[in-house]
Amino acid sequence: MSSLLCFIAVSYASESSFPPIKLYYENRAPYMEVNNGELAGAEGLLASAALKSAGITVNLSEAPVARQTALISNNTEPACAVGLYWTAERARMGKYSLPLTHSQPQSIVIRANNTKVTTTDRLVDLLANPSFSLILRNGYSYGADVDAILKEAKATILRPYDNSLERIRQVHLGIVDGAMFTPFEAEYLIKQLGSHGNDLIVKQFKDAPDGKSRHLYCSKMVDDSLIKKINEALRKGS
């Protein structure tokens, strides 16, 4: 798994009273990506701005979200991950900043001709269908409310290590019925398929839980005073 790590050193401040922290991210446009050595994207820019404002030096390190949460939960280094939802288990193992962003309700990307989904308006009903297959991100939380629905699902739930675009391709090829994303991410990914994206739609559900906040999630080795400075910077930027 260590081969998946891509280490990029970035100094966000020339001087800092705090030791550098490792900042984990996943190359996951449109939320986050690295451009010219800087963390960019809808969440990446907000995290970068807050850390710069707080005068914190970071080392960027790319890793899948399951790897990120495992490394942070081990509490062996001062490190944070960008854009994670709050869960009770993670809160026991690490520390959260104030919200970076507030997510949209979850939706499901499907083929436009998939009647298993097009005739269903409720997420709970869809996931109660044993013939429906849904592909999710490995090691990822979709927010406590959605996670609870998924836990009770009778549908086939798959969590491979495939990246976001590959999960969309599996829907297009008919390997699975659907893939869960926010509409913002889903629409971006569908565009990456070019003309093939015309076969796909973003299905939203009237009972989908409200979107949850996304945070910087940090190990317990990140000092509380550092979290306080990050939160102050986030308040100023909001």
Side-chain angles (χ1 to χ4, degrees):
M1 186 66 75
S2 61
S3 63
L4 294 172
L5 296 176
C6 175
F7 182 80
I8 307 171
V10 180
S11 187
Y12 281 167
S14 58
E15 296 182 2
S16 175
S17 58
F18 299 99
I21 66 171
K22 187 174 286 186
L23 185 65
Y24 289 110
Y25 74 99
E26 190 169 21
N27 190 14
R28 186 187 164 204
Y31 287 119
M32 63 192 91
E33 58 187 326
V34 170
N35 289 331
N36 299 319
E38 294 281 345
L39 192 59
E43 294 173 5
L45 283 173
L46 292 172
S48 295
L51 292 163
K52 285 180 180 179
S53 178
I56 298 166
T57 302
V58 306
N59 295 323
L60 286 177
S61 187
E62 183 182 359
V65 68
R67 177 76 168 159
Q68 294 177 27
T69 53
L71 290 167
I72 288 173
S73 296
N74 286 341
N75 285 303
T76 58
E77 60 183 355
C80 297
V82 178
L84 271 64
Y85 290 122
W86 187 95
T87 70
E89 181 180 0
R90 290 175 184 171
R92 286 193 295 270
M93 302 301 295
K95 303 176 181 181
Y96 280 94
S97 73
L98 290 176
L100 289 171
T101 61
H102 196 85
S103 181
Q104 298 171 308
Q106 297 294 333
S107 61
I108 296 180
V109 175
I110 61 165
R111 289 187 63 88
N113 61 0
N114 189 334
T115 56
K116 292 180 192 176
V117 190
T118 55
T119 57
T120 303
D121 291 325
R122 285 170 44 85
L123 181 62
V124 171
D125 293 341
L126 178 64
L127 294 179
N129 183 351
S131 71
F132 179 75
S133 58
L134 178 67
I135 192 168
L136 305 173
R137 295 177 73 201
N138 181 266
Y140 185 74
S141 167
Y142 288 83
D145 293 340
V146 176
D147 288 348
I149 295 172
L150 291 168
K151 188 175 181 180
E152 299 300 320
K154 298 293 190 284
T156 299
I157 305 294
L158 306 171
R159 288 184 180 265
Y161 287 100
D162 298 318
N163 63 31
S164 297
L165 190 56
E166 180 57 30
R167 296 198 304 278
I168 292 282
R169 286 196 180 102
Q170 290 192 45
V171 176
H172 178 260
L173 293 171
I175 296 171
V176 294
D177 290 313
M180 184 172 282
F181 297 94
T182 63
F184 173 65
E185 185 175 14
E187 289 162 5
Y188 172 87
L189 292 168
I190 288 172
K191 287 180 181 178
Q192 308 314 301
L193 294 184
S195 60
H196 294 302
N198 296 332
D199 299 328
L200 303 175
I201 61 173
V202 181
K203 176 72 175 180
Q204 299 183 55
F205 300 89
K206 61 185 181 182
D207 65 332
D210 291 338
K212 303 299 181 183
S213 55
R214 297 176 185 263
H215 307 254
L216 285 167
Y217 175 58
C218 304
S219 72
K220 291 182 178 179
M221 291 188 68
V222 176
D223 193 86
D224 285 345
S225 60
L226 194 66
I227 299 291
K228 182 178 179 181
K229 285 189 70 68
I230 293 171
N231 288 341
E232 289 172 351
L234 287 170
R235 287 192 191 95
K236 291 177 183 176
S238 62

